[in-house]
Amino acid sequence: DGLVRGLRNAGLSPRTYRGGYMTFSHALIPMLAAHGIALDFSCDPGRHMVKNGALVSDWRGAPDNVYRMDGQDHRKPGKSPICEIPLGVYIEQQSLPHIWRTCRALKNRRKETIVAVLAHTYDFASWKMRLKIRAALFICRLYGNFIGITQALEKIRGMGL
Protein backbone atom coordinates (compact mmCIF):
# COMPACT_ATOMS: atom_id res chain seq x y z
CA ASP A 1 0.00 0.00 0.00
CA GLY A 2 2.64 2.51 1.06
CA LEU A 3 4.86 1.69 -1.91
CA VAL A 4 2.08 2.32 -4.43
CA ARG A 5 1.16 5.60 -2.72
CA GLY A 6 4.81 6.62 -2.69
CA LEU A 7 5.19 5.91 -6.39
CA ARG A 8 2.03 7.84 -7.18
CA ASN A 9 3.16 10.76 -5.00
CA ALA A 10 6.37 10.80 -7.05
CA GLY A 11 4.29 11.16 -10.23
CA LEU A 12 4.53 7.54 -11.34
CA SER A 13 1.55 5.39 -12.26
CA PRO A 14 2.23 1.69 -11.57
CA ARG A 15 -0.01 -0.45 -13.79
CA THR A 16 1.58 -3.88 -13.40
CA TYR A 17 3.29 -6.06 -10.81
CA ARG A 18 6.02 -8.71 -10.85
CA GLY A 19 7.31 -10.39 -7.73
CA GLY A 20 11.05 -10.86 -7.35
CA TYR A 21 12.06 -14.50 -7.86
CA MET A 22 8.60 -14.88 -9.45
CA THR A 23 6.93 -14.83 -6.03
CA PHE A 24 3.19 -14.37 -5.73
CA SER A 25 0.47 -15.07 -3.22
CA HIS A 26 -3.27 -15.00 -3.79
CA ALA A 27 -3.35 -12.57 -0.82
CA LEU A 28 -1.86 -9.93 -3.17
CA ILE A 29 -4.88 -9.99 -5.48
CA PRO A 30 -7.13 -7.65 -3.41
CA MET A 31 -4.24 -5.22 -2.82
CA LEU A 32 -3.37 -5.06 -6.51
CA ALA A 33 -7.04 -4.61 -7.44
CA ALA A 34 -7.48 -1.85 -4.83
CA HIS A 35 -4.69 0.10 -6.53
CA GLY A 36 -5.94 -0.41 -10.07
CA ILE A 37 -3.16 -2.83 -11.00
CA ALA A 38 -4.78 -5.31 -13.38
CA LEU A 39 -1.77 -7.26 -14.69
CA ASP A 40 0.81 -9.46 -13.01
CA PHE A 41 3.97 -10.81 -14.64
CA SER A 42 5.20 -13.12 -11.84
CA CYS A 43 4.28 -16.48 -13.40
CA ASP A 44 6.95 -18.81 -14.69
CA PRO A 45 4.82 -21.86 -15.54
CA GLY A 46 6.08 -24.97 -13.77
CA ARG A 47 8.48 -23.11 -11.50
CA HIS A 48 8.70 -24.37 -7.92
CA MET A 49 11.42 -22.70 -5.87
CA VAL A 50 12.25 -23.46 -2.25
CA LYS A 51 15.19 -21.76 -0.48
CA ASN A 52 16.34 -22.79 2.99
CA GLY A 53 13.14 -24.77 3.46
CA ALA A 54 10.86 -21.81 2.66
CA LEU A 55 8.63 -21.67 -0.40
CA VAL A 56 9.70 -18.81 -2.65
CA SER A 57 7.48 -19.41 -5.68
CA ASP A 58 5.11 -22.08 -6.86
CA TRP A 59 3.71 -21.95 -10.38
CA ARG A 60 3.23 -25.69 -10.87
CA GLY A 61 0.22 -26.30 -13.06
CA ALA A 62 -0.13 -22.65 -14.12
CA PRO A 63 -1.28 -21.96 -17.69
CA ASP A 64 1.32 -20.92 -20.27
CA ASN A 65 -0.95 -18.25 -21.77
CA VAL A 66 -2.61 -15.17 -20.32
CA TYR A 67 -5.39 -15.95 -17.85
CA ARG A 68 -7.54 -14.29 -15.19
CA MET A 69 -6.37 -15.57 -11.79
CA ASP A 70 -8.49 -17.48 -9.33
CA GLY A 71 -8.84 -15.54 -6.08
CA GLN A 72 -7.81 -18.54 -3.95
CA ASP A 73 -5.14 -20.12 -6.14
CA HIS A 74 -3.12 -17.82 -8.37
CA ARG A 75 -1.99 -20.79 -10.48
CA LYS A 76 -5.51 -21.49 -11.72
CA PRO A 77 -7.80 -19.57 -14.06
CA GLY A 78 -10.67 -17.89 -12.25
CA LYS A 79 -12.63 -14.69 -11.88
CA SER A 80 -10.36 -12.35 -9.90
CA PRO A 81 -9.76 -8.83 -11.26
CA ILE A 82 -6.07 -9.65 -11.91
CA CYS A 83 -4.82 -11.18 -15.16
CA GLU A 84 -1.56 -13.10 -15.28
CA ILE A 85 0.75 -12.80 -18.27
CA PRO A 86 3.12 -15.75 -17.85
CA LEU A 87 6.74 -15.81 -18.80
CA GLY A 88 7.31 -17.20 -22.27
CA VAL A 89 10.95 -16.27 -22.86
CA TYR A 90 13.50 -15.85 -20.05
CA ILE A 91 16.54 -14.58 -21.89
CA GLU A 92 19.05 -15.00 -19.04
CA GLN A 93 18.00 -18.60 -18.31
CA GLN A 94 17.37 -19.96 -21.82
CA SER A 95 19.73 -20.68 -24.68
CA LEU A 96 19.15 -18.99 -28.04
CA PRO A 97 18.16 -22.32 -29.67
CA HIS A 98 15.63 -22.86 -26.86
CA ILE A 99 14.26 -19.33 -27.35
CA TRP A 100 13.99 -20.03 -31.09
CA ARG A 101 12.03 -23.27 -30.48
CA THR A 102 9.79 -21.56 -27.91
CA CYS A 103 8.96 -18.64 -30.21
CA ARG A 104 8.27 -20.96 -33.12
CA ALA A 105 5.95 -23.09 -30.95
CA LEU A 106 4.12 -19.98 -29.69
CA LYS A 107 3.64 -18.79 -33.27
CA ASN A 108 2.13 -22.14 -34.27
CA ARG A 109 -0.61 -22.02 -31.64
CA ARG A 110 -4.10 -21.75 -33.05
CA LYS A 111 -5.24 -19.26 -30.40
CA GLU A 112 -4.31 -15.75 -29.34
CA THR A 113 -1.26 -15.99 -27.09
CA ILE A 114 0.15 -13.34 -24.77
CA VAL A 115 3.32 -14.10 -22.84
CA ALA A 116 6.11 -12.04 -21.32
CA VAL A 117 9.76 -11.76 -22.32
CA LEU A 118 12.18 -11.18 -19.44
CA ALA A 119 15.66 -9.69 -19.39
CA HIS A 120 16.92 -8.22 -16.12
CA THR A 121 18.51 -4.78 -16.05
CA TYR A 122 21.71 -6.25 -14.57
CA ASP A 123 22.06 -8.40 -17.71
CA PHE A 124 22.88 -5.25 -19.67
CA ALA A 125 26.17 -4.84 -17.75
CA SER A 126 27.78 -7.58 -19.84
CA TRP A 127 28.48 -7.08 -23.55
CA LYS A 128 27.88 -10.80 -24.08
CA MET A 129 24.45 -10.59 -22.47
CA ARG A 130 23.60 -7.43 -24.43
CA LEU A 131 24.42 -9.35 -27.60
CA LYS A 132 22.31 -12.33 -26.44
CA ILE A 133 19.41 -10.01 -25.55
CA ARG A 134 19.59 -8.38 -28.97
CA ALA A 135 19.60 -11.79 -30.69
CA ALA A 136 16.76 -13.09 -28.49
CA LEU A 137 14.62 -10.05 -29.19
CA PHE A 138 15.31 -10.44 -32.91
CA ILE A 139 14.09 -14.07 -32.70
CA CYS A 140 11.01 -13.01 -30.72
CA ARG A 141 10.20 -10.36 -33.31
CA LEU A 142 10.49 -12.86 -36.17
CA TYR A 143 7.67 -14.92 -34.65
CA GLY A 144 5.51 -12.36 -32.87
CA ASN A 145 4.87 -8.79 -31.86
CA PHE A 146 5.81 -6.75 -28.85
CA ILE A 147 2.86 -4.98 -27.27
CA GLY A 148 2.46 -2.53 -24.44
CA ILE A 149 0.22 -2.68 -21.38
CA THR A 150 -2.71 -0.87 -23.04
CA GLN A 151 -2.60 -3.20 -26.05
CA ALA A 152 -2.34 -6.24 -23.78
CA LEU A 153 -5.42 -5.15 -21.81
CA GLU A 154 -7.34 -4.59 -25.06
CA LYS A 155 -6.38 -8.05 -26.34
CA ILE A 156 -7.32 -9.63 -23.01
CA ARG A 157 -10.74 -8.00 -23.19
CA GLY A 158 -11.08 -9.22 -26.78
CA MET A 159 -10.30 -12.75 -25.59
CA GLY A 160 -13.20 -12.52 -23.17
CA LEU A 161 -11.05 -12.73 -20.05
Side-chain angles (χ1 to χ4, degrees):
D1 274 355
L3 178 59
V4 173
R5 273 195 307 275
L7 290 170
R8 290 211 167 107
N9 290 341
L12 301 172
S13 300
R15 297 179 63 198
T16 66
Y17 175 82
R18 185 180 78 78
Y21 295 98
M22 308 305 194
T23 58
F24 195 88
S25 166
H26 69 276
L28 286 170
I29 292 172
M31 185 202 69
L32 295 175
H35 290 288
I37 296 173
L39 295 177
D40 177 69
F41 290 89
S42 301
C43 178
D44 185 359
R47 181 184 179 106
H48 180 245
M49 178 186 261
V50 176
K51 290 273 191 184
N52 301 322
L55 179 65
V56 176
S57 62
D58 186 359
W59 290 101
R60 294 174 293 177
D64 62 357
N65 193 9
V66 62
Y67 65 98
R68 188 167 295 282
M69 288 181 177
D70 179 79
Q72 299 304 307
D73 186 346
H74 60 277
R75 300 170 299 177
K76 295 180 181 176
K79 297 187 184 291
S80 85
I82 309 303
C83 285
E84 179 63 49
I85 297 182
L87 188 57
V89 174
Y90 194 169
I91 295 173
E92 175 188 354
Q93 300 283 325
Q94 298 170 337
S95 68
L96 289 174
H98 184 271
I99 292 169
W100 195 289
R101 287 189 301 273
T102 297
C103 291
R104 191 174 54 224
L106 291 169
K107 176 72 173 179
N108 288 332
R109 289 184 176 180
R110 299 197 186 277
K111 60 183 178 184
E112 181 82 55
T113 301
I114 302 174
V115 296
V117 175
L118 175 61
H120 289 98
T121 53
Y122 59 75
D123 289 332
F124 288 87
S126 159
W127 69 267
K128 289 180 184 177
M129 279 304 294
R130 287 192 305 272
L131 186 59
K132 182 181 179 186
I133 291 165
R134 181 174 281 214
L137 294 177
F138 176 78
I139 293 167
C140 290
R141 184 64 185 100
L142 282 175
Y143 290 99
N145 297 304
F146 294 104
I147 61 173
I149 301 306
T150 301
Q151 290 171 297
L153 289 168
E154 289 170 3
K155 285 183 173 284
I156 290 166
R157 279 191 287 278
M159 295 166 74
L161 294 177

